[in-house]
């Protein structure tokens, strides 16, 4: 709540006279005083000639309180608290005489800081409203106190002019704001409290499949069942200390429930059952309970059924909220930037409606920019840049790691009271590849846990068998084992229910939707019932539908008149069953290229009889020679329990044409086929470096224990990129097992061994003498030394370490040449590094002592320099040869003073935070006498349109290019350049002759890589 709206509607005319009484008047000769006066000599209630007593001060305080409380509108605090509030304000006003400062110091301090000094200990027993009111009145009084000081004749003339103008403007603006801003309606505040309580209660319970058996409840508290999943994003980041390379691809990993903490707009992708909707519930409940934001949960499958998507005022009605909001409440929430808008299920919107859905989202985010936005989708439903226009960060829910699965299994068995079965299931998950492969998301983990408990430790092996068993559990065993009988007079067998449900599922699939209205469901059942006599004899379509909705456990009614399957996986499984039963193989083949049909096609292969399965696979191969369908056919082999060797060979031959992958896009496409592709991955003999990297990246993405033998073959590969990718896979496996099986044999030359957790940090010492190490997390210098081999360490990068203060222990690293300290805000003194012969240092936090590191030749600075010139913050006696400036480094200094480093040969600009270089900065750059090499990012290139010529630059590095930039002016600026390297933005492929016409006399190299290479033969691009 804005303090100025709580009740402090005191205009200047009301409060200023009261404040003046607190101070003595200027006496004769006072204007001759030319120095500040102590506050204790100014107050009228101290000294021998005091004109006010403490009682008088209390009366003044009472007058102010009463005037504020008497203003129109809701009273700012309860009436019975007026006396303690008055006493507290009087104590604060009297504290003016105790402050050890003069009038000039008080003015420089400012109203907020002055108010803080007057507050003292928090008053006992005051309500939150009274305390807030008291603090606001105190601050408002300080505004007038400071204004009074600036009006005194003894105040320094220059300060008088500057401060009085600022204070007068401030008072006028606050007075205008108080006059113009209405108080928040009490109805809005009361409704918001009710709404947050409703959201916290509504979304705080979820169903974990299988727990609803026997005597267990079918709904569980969200905090019991919720598992914090990981989200990943492919991004490009600067490479510290690697000459000529400014960006490299990295996989950023963060807790999914913290995604909005780093970026206010997120498009979150995840497979079916990966936990997207549960995450939305968790964020809604957390925001509602903490009252940090107002959550709006908007399932698109419900919203898109209307003719038009709702404006904020219609959000609650669109989702069936039983509460009625005051007029304009939602707009007010979003207009003030307090909303958390979660739009769930882009993939559940029919393809034809996605354009209007996107327009709706873009309009909302443009109209209400200050809020947080989360949009969820299946991975392939929309293109990667679908919401890039509104700066949405794309994240993907990662498959559950083995530790995540173990956590889920433990919580499930604890919640279900099934602890005796927990260890037995965990052993099975570790030892059975087929079972472990299924346990990749919360849905499948829950099903496996439930089936394991119900079958006393016996589990199905294939995915179809798992679904069959799950459906048996849900459709027939639940009610029977609970002794429910037939409460609605209808009793349908499992096969009958499947026949009816699959007609609904197939109808949804053919329409491209995931929910339907009751009338459509009744129409489909009316068509199916005549062929199912046992069901038709027990009731009409309406009665059978009501029974399925209430008793099957597979249907839900998210809103009145609407029905959908509890999970898309069941819809796809049952729809595939119907397609095969109806002989619709051609329909399946015609939709094989549609991502929404992928699981339907795979399950159809599982449901089909041998001849149907053979025909379906051959038609798949014949309909589309592209890799997506070939890989889909390959994935189908996993679900084909019986298949002729000839057809199997045809499928594997087609897929083998895609192997080995030569780009990241091809690796991702292959990995979608699952662990089966691991058996087809060749090498390392006979492969190029990019092909070897493609094989390792594919194994990394598959991520199961079956990938370990593939990764093991590449441990000693001569390409550092291949070995780096092996290191990047560490998070996908058990830390110690991966060290023993893989990392212990990796050749360490030219690659950084990176520890992103304490478990990995402890494992570093087991790997022996590592020359290059990167360590994330909080450690002291002494602790860091226990993780490395001091006698062999040459390069060390420390990141995200708030505990690193004293660097003196690093003096024992006698062979250390390169040190990077990123996000280490507590550094004290770099002078402790003086005994080392460091040649390269990277810093993003200012720390004293840099002048002592005289052996440096390369310096990376990522913090904002103080002063007006470079030499005011950076020591000029260090003979630097290479300087990298990043992150708003030169906002204050420009490049003034750059000529002081006569030995400087290379200069690199990272992200400066201002977009372009100032003209005087370019003049300083042109004036440098020895600079030969320059690295520029794409966003700085427009700065050089009017730049003076830089004849000394012989080598130019351009990074982050998109292929659309105007580079024509660069040939005039860099007239003597001989070597140009071009690095495209991550994920973009540029032709080899790009920029050749701009620099006709230079050797131009476009640095393509495995990460931005285009996919071959139609694979999805990066």
């Amino acid at each position: 709540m804005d303090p100025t709206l709580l009740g402090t509607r005191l205009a200047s005319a009301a409060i200023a006279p009261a404040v003046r009484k607190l101070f003595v008047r200027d006496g004769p000769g006072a204007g001759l005083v030319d120095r500040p006066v102590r506050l204790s000599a100014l107050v009228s209630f101290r000294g021998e000639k005091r004109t006010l007593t403490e009682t008088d001060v209390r009366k003044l305080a009472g007058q102010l309180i009463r005037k504020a409380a008497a203003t129109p509108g809701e009273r700012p605090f309860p009436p019975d608290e007026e006396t303690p509030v008055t006493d507290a304000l009087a104590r604060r006003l009297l504290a003016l005489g105790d402050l050890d400062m003069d009038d000039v110091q008080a003015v420089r301090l400012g109203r907020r800081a002055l108010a803080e000094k007057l507050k003292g200990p928090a008053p006992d027993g005051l309500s939150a409203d009274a305390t807030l009111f008291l603090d606001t009145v105190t601050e408002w009084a300080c505004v007038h106190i400071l204004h009074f000081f600036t009006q005194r004749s003894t105040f320094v003339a220059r300060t008088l002019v500057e401060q009085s103008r600022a204070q007068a403007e401030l008072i006028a603006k606050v007075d205008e704001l108080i006059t113009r801003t209405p108080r928040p309606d009490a109805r809005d505040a009361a409704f918001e409290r009710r709404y947050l309580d409703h959201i916290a209660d509504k979304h705080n319970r979820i169903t974990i499949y299988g727990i609803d058996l026997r005597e267990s409840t079918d709904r569980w508290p969200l905090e019991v069942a919720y598992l914090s999943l990981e989200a990943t994003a492919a991004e490009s980041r600067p490479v510290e200390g690697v000459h000529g390379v400014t960006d490299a691809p990295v996989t950023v990993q963060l807790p999914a429930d913290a995604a909005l903490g780093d970026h206010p707009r997120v498009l979150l992708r995840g497979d079916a059952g990966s936990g997207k909707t549960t995450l939305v519930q968790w964020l809604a409940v957390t925001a509602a309970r903490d009252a940090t934001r107002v959550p709006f949960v908007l399932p698109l499958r419900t919203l898109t059924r209307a003719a038009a998507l709702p404006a904020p005022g219609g959000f609650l009605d669109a989702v069936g909220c039983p509460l009625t909001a005051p007029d304009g409440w939602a707009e007010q929430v979003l207009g003030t930037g307090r909303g958390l808008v979660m739009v769930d299920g882009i993939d559940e919107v029919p393809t034809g409606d996605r354009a209007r859905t996107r327009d709706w989202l873009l309009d909302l985010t443009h109209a209400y920019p200050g809020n947080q936005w989360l949009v969820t989708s299946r991975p392939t439903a929309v293109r990667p840049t679908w919401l890039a226009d509104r700066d949405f960060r794309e994240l993907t829910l990662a498959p559950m790691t083995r530790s995540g699965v173990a956590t889920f299994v433990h919580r499930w068995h604890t919640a279900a009271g099934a602890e005796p079965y927990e260890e037995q299931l965990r052993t099975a998950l570790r030892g059975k590849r087929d079972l472990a492969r299924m346990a990749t998301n919360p849905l499948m983990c829950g099903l496996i846990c439930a089936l394991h408990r119900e079958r006393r430790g016996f589990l199905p092996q294939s995915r179809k068998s798992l679904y069959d068993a799950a459906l048996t559990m849900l459709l027939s065993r639940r009610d029977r084992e609970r002794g429910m009988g037939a409460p609605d007079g209808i009793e349908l067998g499992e096969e009958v229910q499947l026949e009816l449900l699959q007609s609904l599922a197939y109808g949804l699939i053919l329409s491209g939707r995931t929910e339907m209205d009751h009338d459509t469901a009744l129409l489909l059942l009316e068509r199916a019932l005549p062929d199912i006599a046992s069901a038709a004899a027990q009731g009409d379509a309406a009665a059978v539908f009501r029974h399925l909705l209430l008793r099957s456990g597979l249907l839900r009614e998210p809103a009145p008149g609407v029905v959908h399957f509890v999970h898309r996986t069941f819809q796809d499984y049952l729809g595939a069953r119907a397609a095969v039963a109806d002989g619709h193989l051609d329909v399946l083949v015609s939709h094989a290229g549609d991502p929404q049909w992928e699981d339907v096609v795979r399950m159809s292969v599982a449901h089909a009889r041998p001849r149907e399965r053979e025909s379906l696979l051959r038609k798949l191969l014949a309909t589309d020679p592209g890799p997506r369908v070939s890989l889909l056919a390959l994935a189908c082999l996993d679900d084909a329990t019986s298949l002729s060797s000839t057809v199997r060979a045809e499928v594997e031959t087609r897929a083998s044409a895609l192997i080995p992958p030569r780009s990241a896009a091809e690796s991702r496409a292959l990995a979608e086929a699952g662990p089966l592709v691991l058996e087809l991955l060749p090498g390392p003999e006979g492969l190029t470096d990019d092909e070897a990297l493609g094989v390792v990246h594919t194994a990394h993405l598959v991520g199961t224990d079956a990938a370990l033998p593939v990764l093991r073959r590449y441990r000693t590969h001569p390409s550092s990129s291949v070995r780096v990718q092996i290191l990047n896979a560490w998070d996908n496996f058990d830390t110690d097992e991966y060290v023993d099986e893989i990392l212990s044999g990796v050749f360490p030359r030219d690659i950084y061994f990176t520890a992103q957790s304490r478990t990995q940090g402890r494992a570093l010492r087991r790997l022996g003498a590592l020359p290059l190490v990167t360590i994330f997390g909080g450690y002291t210098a002494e602790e860091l030394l226990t993780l490395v081999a001091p006698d062999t360490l040459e390069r060390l990068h420390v990141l995200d370490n708030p505990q690193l203060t004293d660097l003196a222990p690093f003096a024992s690293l006698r062979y250390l040449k390169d040190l990077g300290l990123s996000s280490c805000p507590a550094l004290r003194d770099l002078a402790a590094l003086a005994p080392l012969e460091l040649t390269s240092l990277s810093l993003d936090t200012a720390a004293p002592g840099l002048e002592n590191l005289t052996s440096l030749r390369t310096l990376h600075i990522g913090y904002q320099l103080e002063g007006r010139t470079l030499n005011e913050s950076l020591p000029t006696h260090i003979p630097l040869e290479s300087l990298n400036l990043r992150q708003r480094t030169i906002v204050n200094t420009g490049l003034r003073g750059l000529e002081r480093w006569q030995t400087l040969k290379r200069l690199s600009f990272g992200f400066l935070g201002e977009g372009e270089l100032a003209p005087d900065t370019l003049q300083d750059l042109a004036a440098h006498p020895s600079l030969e090499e320059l690295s520029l990012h794409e966003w700085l290139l427009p700065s050089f349109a009017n730049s003076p010529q830089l004849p000394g630059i012989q080598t130019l590095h351009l990074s982050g290019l998109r292929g659309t930039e105007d580079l024509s002016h660069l040939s005039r600026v860099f007239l003597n350049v001989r070597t140009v390297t071009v690095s495209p933005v991550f994920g973009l492929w540029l032709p080899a002759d790009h920029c050749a016409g701009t620099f006709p006399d230079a050797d131009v190299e476009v640095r393509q890589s495995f990460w931005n290479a285009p996919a071959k033969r139609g694979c999805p691009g990066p």
Side-chain angles (χ1 to χ4, degrees), residues 146-207:
L146 297 181
H147 184 59
F148 171 79
F149 287 162
T150 62
Q151 302 272 322
R152 298 183 71 254
S153 60
T154 58
F155 200 77
V156 179
R158 178 177 58 84
T159 306
L160 174 63
V161 173
E162 295 177 358
Q163 295 292 339
S164 59
R165 181 186 297 118
Q167 295 293 342
E169 290 178 357
L170 176 62
I171 291 170
K173 290 179 179 178
V174 173
D175 279 346
E176 182 181 0
L177 179 63
I178 290 174
T179 302
R180 295 173 56 185
T181 306
R183 293 187 181 202
D185 195 318
R187 292 179 304 162
D188 284 4
F191 172 78
E192 191 165 306
R193 288 192 294 270
R194 292 177 58 212
Y195 175 73
L196 293 179
D197 290 343
H198 167 72
I199 291 294
D201 181 67
K202 175 181 178 180
H203 294 288
N204 191 38
R205 304 189 72 81
I206 64 173
T207 297

Side-chain angles (χ1 to χ4, degrees), residues 847-917:
L850 182 61
E851 67 277 3
N852 296 281
L853 308 184
T854 57
S855 60
L856 288 179
R857 296 298 179 267
T858 299
L859 183 61
H860 302 261
I861 297 294
Y863 57 87
Q864 185 170 315
L865 297 174
E866 300 295 333
R868 296 190 66 257
T869 65
L870 290 173
N871 51 286
E872 290 181 46
S873 295
L874 301 179
T876 58
H877 63 277
I878 297 179
L880 293 177
E881 299 174 2
S882 180
L883 181 61
N884 184 305
L885 303 173
R886 299 181 288 109
Q887 298 291 349
R888 297 181 58 86
T889 303
I890 58 172
V891 169
N892 296 324
T893 65
L895 291 179
R896 290 180 291 275
L898 184 67
E899 73 281 355
R900 299 290 190 93
W901 288 272
Q902 296 287 313
T903 56
L904 192 65
K905 303 294 184 184
R906 294 179 294 276
L907 182 63
S908 176
F909 291 106
F911 179 58
L912 300 178
E914 292 295 318
E916 295 188 7
L917 296 174

Side-chain angles (χ1 to χ4, degrees), residues 954-975:
Q954 300 179 24
T955 302
L956 181 64
H957 303 284
L958 305 177
S959 64
L961 266 62
R962 302 177 182 273
T964 58
E965 300 83 4
D966 180 10
L967 306 178
S968 58
H969 57 281
L970 297 184
S971 58
R972 176 192 63 81
V973 178
F974 303 104
L975 64 163

Side-chain angles (χ1 to χ4, degrees), residues 196-197 200 282-295:
L196 293 179
D197 290 343
W282 178 263
L283 293 174
V285 170
T286 301
R289 284 181 172 174
D290 297 343
T292 52
R293 285 186 176 271
V294 179

Side-chain angles (χ1 to χ4, degrees), residues 675-975:
L676 185 63
V677 75
L678 297 172
E679 302 172 11
L680 302 175
L681 295 177
E685 297 80 9
L687 301 184
T688 66
D689 288 350
D690 274 355
E691 290 171 342
L693 180 56
V695 168
V696 170
H697 188 48
T698 303
H700 174 191
L701 293 175
V702 173
T704 67
D705 287 348
L708 292 176
V710 177
L711 297 173
R712 186 182 179 90
R713 297 201 305 262
Y714 287 82
R715 294 186 305 173
T716 59
H717 197 278
S719 169
S720 60
S721 297
V722 173
R723 287 178 282 125
V724 165
Q725 191 60 28
I726 290 176
L727 290 172
N728 288 343
W730 195 359
D731 287 340
N732 287 31
F733 302 92
D734 177 78
T735 298
D736 294 330
E737 181 181 1
Y738 199 71
V739 168
D740 295 335
E741 291 291 324
I742 307 298
L743 297 185
S744 60
V746 171
F747 189 41
R749 186 182 65 189
D750 300 330
I751 62 173
Y752 279 89
F753 279 71
T754 300
Q756 300 199 53
S757 67
R758 283 193 169 267
T759 303
Q760 292 181 348
R762 289 191 296 269
L764 285 178
R765 286 304 295 264
R766 294 169 51 200
L767 294 172
L770 301 176
L772 283 66
V773 173
T774 298
I775 300 176
F776 286 79
Y779 300 90
T780 65
E782 291 85 354
E783 290 173 329
L784 287 170
L785 292 182
T786 66
L787 308 181
V788 299
D791 292 337
T792 59
L793 188 64
E794 299 175 7
R795 298 181 181 181
L796 174 64
H797 286 188
V798 181
L799 298 94
D800 299 337
N801 189 336
Q803 298 181 25
L804 186 60
T805 56
D806 183 12
L807 298 177
F810 282 2
S812 62
L813 302 173
R814 52 181 177 168
Y815 296 106
L816 189 66
K817 301 298 182 185
D818 181 352
L819 179 61
L821 301 170
S822 180
S823 297
C824 301
L827 296 177
R828 291 178 183 168
D829 192 355
L830 299 175
L833 302 174
L836 301 175
E837 295 185 2
L838 288 177
T839 58
S840 178
L841 178 65
S842 177
L843 288 172
D844 67 0
T845 301
L850 182 61
E851 67 277 3
N852 296 281
L853 308 184
T854 57
S855 60
L856 288 179
R857 296 298 179 267
T858 299
L859 183 61
H860 302 261
I861 297 294
Y863 57 87
Q864 185 170 315
L865 297 174
E866 300 295 333
R868 296 190 66 257
T869 65
L870 290 173
N871 51 286
E872 290 181 46
S873 295
L874 301 179
T876 58
H877 63 277
I878 297 179
L880 293 177
E881 299 174 2
S882 180
L883 181 61
N884 184 305
L885 303 173
R886 299 181 288 109
Q887 298 291 349
R888 297 181 58 86
T889 303
I890 58 172
V891 169
N892 296 324
T893 65
L895 291 179
R896 290 180 291 275
L898 184 67
E899 73 281 355
R900 299 290 190 93
W901 288 272
Q902 296 287 313
T903 56
L904 192 65
K905 303 294 184 184
R906 294 179 294 276
L907 182 63
S908 176
F909 291 106
F911 179 58
L912 300 178
E914 292 295 318
E916 295 188 7
L917 296 174
D920 60 336
T921 298
L922 296 172
Q923 293 288 347
D924 293 324
L925 184 63
H928 196 280
S930 60
L931 201 61
E932 300 175 352
E933 191 170 335
L934 188 63
S935 297
L936 301 173
H937 202 280
E938 174 270 338
W939 53 64
L940 291 179
L941 297 183
S943 305
F944 289 84
N946 298 311
S947 169
Q949 291 184 335
L950 302 175
I953 302 300
Q954 300 179 24
T955 302
L956 181 64
H957 303 284
L958 305 177
S959 64
L961 266 62
R962 302 177 182 273
T964 58
E965 300 83 4
D966 180 10
L967 306 178
S968 58
H969 57 281
L970 297 184
S971 58
R972 176 192 63 81
V973 178
F974 303 104
L975 64 163

Side-chain angles (χ1 to χ4, degrees), residues 399-415:
M400 291 170 66
T401 62
R402 290 201 298 176
S403 62
V405 171
T407 300
F408 185 96
V409 169
H410 172 70
R411 291 184 181 178
W412 193 99
H413 285 82
T414 300

